[in-house]
Amino acid sequence: SIIISGTASVLSPNSQCPIRLHPGDLIGDIELVDENGRYEATIKAETPMETLEIDSVILHNRLKEIGLNEDLKSVRNHRRIIDSASIFRNLARSMRNRIALAASEHRFNPGDHIVQQGQIDDDFYLLAEGEVEIVTSGKITAKIRASDPDNFFGITSAVYPSRPRGITARAVTPV
């Protein structure tokens, strides 16, 4: 379904605050169903709403035809991680979906350097699993775990890509 007019809230047992839906937003299984096919959220109309209903079989077949099926899988796989990070918590669902679509997964072994102090790039990292230590001028200054609400690093490089990195990030466990 696509919201034509009105607003609604998505209430989820895993979310501290409801997600507000507006005209143009999609209401669909990607946000409501967990990986086991169980519904885990409720949609509540906040104002009178008008929606455009699209048969899910027709929609999924059309998405396959135009090559968007993989994009939907990417959004579904990355949204839980993005939703867990405090930095994205207040973003609209549509913006979190865009971030999920742009995300890619990388694996690192214990001891691997994920980024090097002095390196110039614009990568931002969000931990899906594991633990990373942050090293500044040869000293461990922080540890970041995937389970932490601040489970990310690299924001300065993402905002200022021409600046050299001020930290080294090293995997402590498989990441």
Side-chain angles (χ1 to χ4, degrees):
S1 301
I2 301 172
I3 298 176
I4 304 298
S5 64
T7 58
S9 294
V10 177
L11 310 168
S12 171
N14 299 331
S15 178
Q16 295 175 349
C17 58
I19 299 166
R20 177 84 62 181
L21 302 175
H22 301 280
D25 285 339
L26 294 171
I27 302 172
D29 287 349
I30 196 167
E31 281 81 21
L32 304 176
V33 177
D34 68 14
E35 63 274 357
N36 298 314
R38 294 184 303 249
Y39 281 88
E40 61 176 14
T42 302
I43 297 177
K44 177 183 174 190
E46 299 291 335
T47 64
M49 291 178 53
E50 180 182 0
T51 63
L52 174 64
E53 302 300 318
I54 303 170
D55 180 89
S56 64
V57 173
I58 293 170
L59 177 63
H60 286 284
N61 287 340
R62 182 66 181 131
L63 291 174
K64 273 186 195 174
E65 287 173 17
I66 61 176
L68 288 178
N69 227 20
E70 291 305 312
D71 289 346
L72 285 176
K73 284 181 187 174
S74 178
V75 170
R76 180 175 286 142
N77 291 337
H78 295 134
R79 266 296 298 279
R80 286 192 196 291
I81 300 162
I82 289 165
D83 290 348
S84 74
S86 63
I87 193 169
F88 299 126
R89 200 162 283 142
N90 294 323
L91 288 180
R93 190 183 88 228
S94 59
M95 183 56 106
R96 286 179 290 168
N97 284 344
R98 285 186 203 151
I99 293 168
L101 185 58
S104 60
E105 293 181 30
H106 300 276
R107 301 260 177 215
F108 299 94
N109 294 313
D112 286 354
H113 285 202
I114 301 167
V115 300
Q116 281 285 140
Q117 189 170 0
Q119 175 183 19
I120 296 178
D121 63 32
D122 62 355
D123 293 329
F124 171 84
Y125 293 87
L126 181 59
L127 290 181
E129 64 182 64
E131 182 178 331
V132 169
E133 58 189 12
I134 304 301
V135 179
T136 307
S137 300
K139 294 181 182 169
I140 298 172
T141 55
K143 287 196 177 188
I144 301 171
R145 292 172 191 81
S147 59
D148 295 341
D150 294 333
N151 56 347
F152 56 88
F153 60 93
I155 191 151
T156 303
S157 293
V159 175
Y160 303 105
S162 61
R163 288 188 186 171
R165 286 200 184 266
I167 60 140
T168 293
R170 183 171 48 223
V172 175
T173 64
V175 175

